[in-house]
Amino acid sequence: MKNINLALFALLLLLSVLWLLADTLLPEPFTYFSFRTPFVQYTGVLGIGVMSVAMMLATRPRWLEQRFGGLDKLYRLHKRLGITALVVTLVHWWWAKGTKWMVGWGWLSRPQRGARSAETLGVVEGWLHGQRGLAETVGEWAFYAAVILIALALIKRFPYHWFARTHTVIAVAYLALVFHAIMLTKADYWLQPIGWLLAMLLLGGTIAALLVLTGSVARSRQVQGTIESIIHYPALRVVEAAIQVQPEWPGHHAGQFAFVRATPGEGAHPYTIASAWNAATHRIVFIVKALGDHTGQLPERLKVGMPVSIEGPYGRFDFRDEHPRQIWVGAGIGITPFIARLEYLAHQPGAQTIDLFHTTTDFDQGAIDKLTAAALAAKVRLHVLVDARDGRLSADGIRAAVPQWPNASLWFCGPPAFGRALRKDFLRNGLPAPDFHQELFQLR
C-alpha cells in the first residue's frame, strides 16, 4: 500500500512541478479569468497524465508487477488513478464549462480580448487554434462517457461481465481525450519538459488503448486448456475445477492467480490457483465460490471437456521469506492459495513451522477432511473455526494459539475488512509491516 500511495503522489508531484516551470497559478493582474486560463491548463495536464498512466497499467505490465509486489497492487493503483482522474477532470470541466454558463447567466462578465491574426499565432499554433471548437466538443462528450464508465467500474453491484465489457470502452473515450489534449494544450508547453513528459504519456497511453481495443493485452501469456473434472460442494456454494493446460503454460508458484475465460462473451475472471505446479501433469485446479451472477451460474455452465483460456500467472503472494515460522489465515474461500501451498509442501517439505487458521461460515465435512489430510501431509498445524460453533477468529485468538508469533510472518487471504483489522492489530502489537502479507484481490 505504501508503494501505491508513493507512486500516485510522485506522479502528481512530477506533473505539477514540471507544469509550474512552464506556467503559473498566480498571474498578474490576478483576476478570475486570468487565473482560469492557467488553472484549466493545469487540471487538464493532471487529468490526461493520470489517465494515461492508468491506461498503461491496464496492459498488466509484468516488469511493474514485480516492483509493486503483485498485479493486485497494480490494479489498486489503477483504481486510485481512475478516481483521481475523475476528481481532477470534474474540476477541469467545471472551470471550462461552468464559466461559460456563468457568463451566459450574467454572473460573470468576460473581459474583451482582441482577435489574434494568423501571422501573430504562427502556422502551427494557428492550425491548433482553428481546431479548438472541435476539440472542445470531442473532449466534452468523451468526458461525459469517461465519468459514467469510471463510476460504473467503482460500483461493486454492477455485474462483472457488464463491467468487463463497458470498461474496455474507456479506451475509446481516452483516445478522444488525447485529441482534446493535443489540440488545446498550450503550444509553448510542447517545447518544455512538461510537454515532453506529456507527449510520452500520451504516446504510451495511446498504444495501451489500442492494445485494449484490439484484445491484444497479455496475449502472449494466454494458453488454452480443457476442463478435466468438476466437483461441486453445494453446502459451501463452491465449485472445484481441474484443468489440463497446454505445454505453453510457464508454471506457477503456490499462491498466484490467473485470469480464466470459460464461456463466450464473458470477460476473463481472476481466480487463485488452488494447486501446486507439476510439469509432468500440466494440471491446474481452481476453487471458485458463488459470490455473484457469473460465479453463481458456474455449476450449470461448466462441463467436463469444455475449452477454457487461461492467462497468467500473476501475483506475489508466494510464501517466500526467511522467517522460522509462518502464520496463515484463510478466511472462507481465502483458503485457496493455502491449499496450493500445502500440496507443494507435501512434495517439497520446508524448514518453517506453520500454523494454518481456516475460519468459515459455511461447513462441509468432506471439504474439511480433504483440508485436514493436506495439512497432515504438509506437516502444517491446522486450526479450523466454524463461526457458528467456535465464534469469530481474532488477532488475540491467533496470538494465544501461536505464542511464538513475534518470530513469524503472517499471510492473510480473505475478506478485505477482516484483513485490515488483523493487520492493524498485529502491527499495533509489534509485528513489522513488511511481515504482514495480504492479497488485495479486489481488482475493481
Side-chain angles (χ1 to χ4, degrees):
M1 294 295 290
K2 182 179 179 181
N3 288 345
I4 294 172
N5 294 331
L6 284 175
L8 178 58
F9 176 76
L11 174 63
L12 294 174
L13 181 63
L14 178 62
L15 288 168
S16 298
V17 169
L18 293 184
W19 182 86
L20 285 170
L21 293 176
D23 215 324
T24 180
L25 287 172
L26 297 172
E28 293 183 1
F30 187 89
T31 66
Y32 176 90
F33 282 98
S34 68
F35 172 77
R36 172 183 179 264
T37 299
F39 186 72
V40 168
Q41 289 286 321
Y42 173 58
T43 53
V45 167
L46 283 185
I48 196 64
V50 167
M51 285 190 70
S52 297
V53 176
M55 187 59 63
M56 287 186 275
L57 292 184
T59 63
R60 304 197 268 275
R62 180 156 286 179
W63 65 277
L64 271 181
E65 181 194 7
Q66 297 173 354
R67 286 161 176 77
F68 277 82
L71 185 64
D72 57 311
K73 311 302 188 299
L74 277 190
Y75 267 86
R76 185 59 60 91
L77 176 58
H78 174 83
K79 179 179 179 179
R80 293 193 178 182
L81 287 167
I83 294 172
T84 302
L86 181 62
V87 173
V88 172
T89 53
L90 277 170
V91 175
H92 174 81
W93 169 83
W94 172 251
W95 277 83
K97 191 72 175 178
T99 297
K100 295 179 181 180
W101 290 342
M102 288 189 287
V103 169
W105 297 335
W107 296 1
L108 292 173
S109 297
R110 187 184 296 276
Q112 296 295 321
R113 292 186 299 181
R116 300 175 68 187
S117 65
E119 292 78 9
T120 302
L121 290 171
V123 177
V124 175
E125 191 176 358
W127 181 80
L128 292 174
H129 188 76
Q131 307 302 312
R132 289 188 64 87
L134 175 62
E136 288 176 353
T137 300
V138 169
E140 181 179 351
W141 287 102
F143 162 76
Y144 296 146
V147 167
I148 293 172
L149 293 169
I150 293 174
L152 288 177
L154 296 174
I155 299 173
K156 298 294 179 62
R157 295 181 65 87
F158 190 61
Y160 184 90
H161 63 283
W162 284 111
F163 155 75
R165 294 175 184 176
T166 58
H167 206 57
T168 300
V169 182
I170 290 182
V172 177
Y174 170 78
L175 292 175
L177 291 171
V178 168
F179 170 74
H180 173 84
I182 292 174
M183 293 298 108
L184 298 181
T185 298
K186 275 188 180 180
D188 291 347
Y189 290 178
W190 299 112
L191 302 177
Q192 301 181 65
I194 185 60
W196 307 338
L197 175 60
L198 194 58
M200 289 188 291
L201 292 176
L202 293 178
L203 177 60
T206 298
I207 294 172
L210 294 175
L211 290 174
V212 169
L213 291 173
T214 57
S216 302
V217 172
R219 183 172 289 172
S220 63
R221 298 197 289 272
Q222 297 175 12
V223 301
Q224 299 304 306
T226 304
I227 297 179
E228 186 179 78
S229 65
I230 300 172
I231 302 175
H232 185 208
Y233 298 94
L236 302 178
R237 294 175 292 125
V238 162
V239 171
E240 178 181 318
I243 299 172
Q244 189 73 28
V245 294
Q246 294 181 348
E248 290 80 8
W249 180 255
H252 59 269
H253 295 290
Q256 290 189 296
F257 67 93
F259 289 88
V260 182
R261 187 193 305 271
T263 55
E266 183 72 30
H269 290 250
Y271 300 125
T272 299
I273 301 170
S275 59
W277 175 241
N278 186 335
T281 61
H282 286 269
R283 187 171 179 268
I284 297 178
V285 175
F286 293 97
I287 300 176
V288 183
K289 184 164 186 172
L291 298 174
D293 292 341
H294 173 73
T295 51
Q297 297 171 6
L298 287 181
E300 292 76 32
R301 289 185 177 184
L302 298 183
K303 307 295 180 184
V304 173
M306 178 184 287
V308 296
S309 173
I310 302 176
E311 175 199 324
Y314 294 106
R316 291 294 180 271
F317 192 83
D318 53 18
F319 305 96
R320 290 186 285 186
D321 65 30
E322 301 301 323
H323 288 276
R325 302 186 69 98
Q326 288 187 345
I327 298 171
W328 301 350
V329 181
I333 195 61
I335 192 63
T336 307
F338 304 108
I339 293 174
R341 185 63 174 178
L342 290 175
E343 183 180 326
Y344 174 84
L345 291 176
H347 295 91
Q348 300 187 50
Q352 292 170 313
T353 301
I354 300 170
D355 284 83
L356 167 58
F357 292 83
H358 176 46
T359 175
T360 179
T361 301
D362 305 313
F363 181 82
D364 182 282
Q365 189 60 55
I368 293 300
D369 289 344
K370 289 178 65 174
L371 179 62
T372 302
L376 185 63
K379 295 181 174 58
V380 168
R381 185 184 176 200
L382 176 64
H383 311 257
V384 176
L385 295 93
V386 180
D387 291 351
R389 182 190 67 195
D390 307 301
R392 294 183 177 275
L393 178 66
S394 66
D396 287 337
I398 295 173
R399 287 191 290 268
V402 188
Q404 305 86 355
W405 67 268
N407 299 320
S409 59
L410 198 153
W411 298 75
F412 173 87
C413 187
F418 184 26
R420 288 193 296 270
L422 283 183
R423 184 180 189 276
K424 182 179 179 180
D425 193 297
F426 269 94
L427 265 57
R428 186 173 61 243
N429 281 274
L431 184 75
D435 290 342
F436 190 97
H437 305 270
Q438 180 178 359
E439 188 83 89
L440 303 176
F441 207 64
Q442 288 184 316
L443 301 188
R444 292 178 61 181

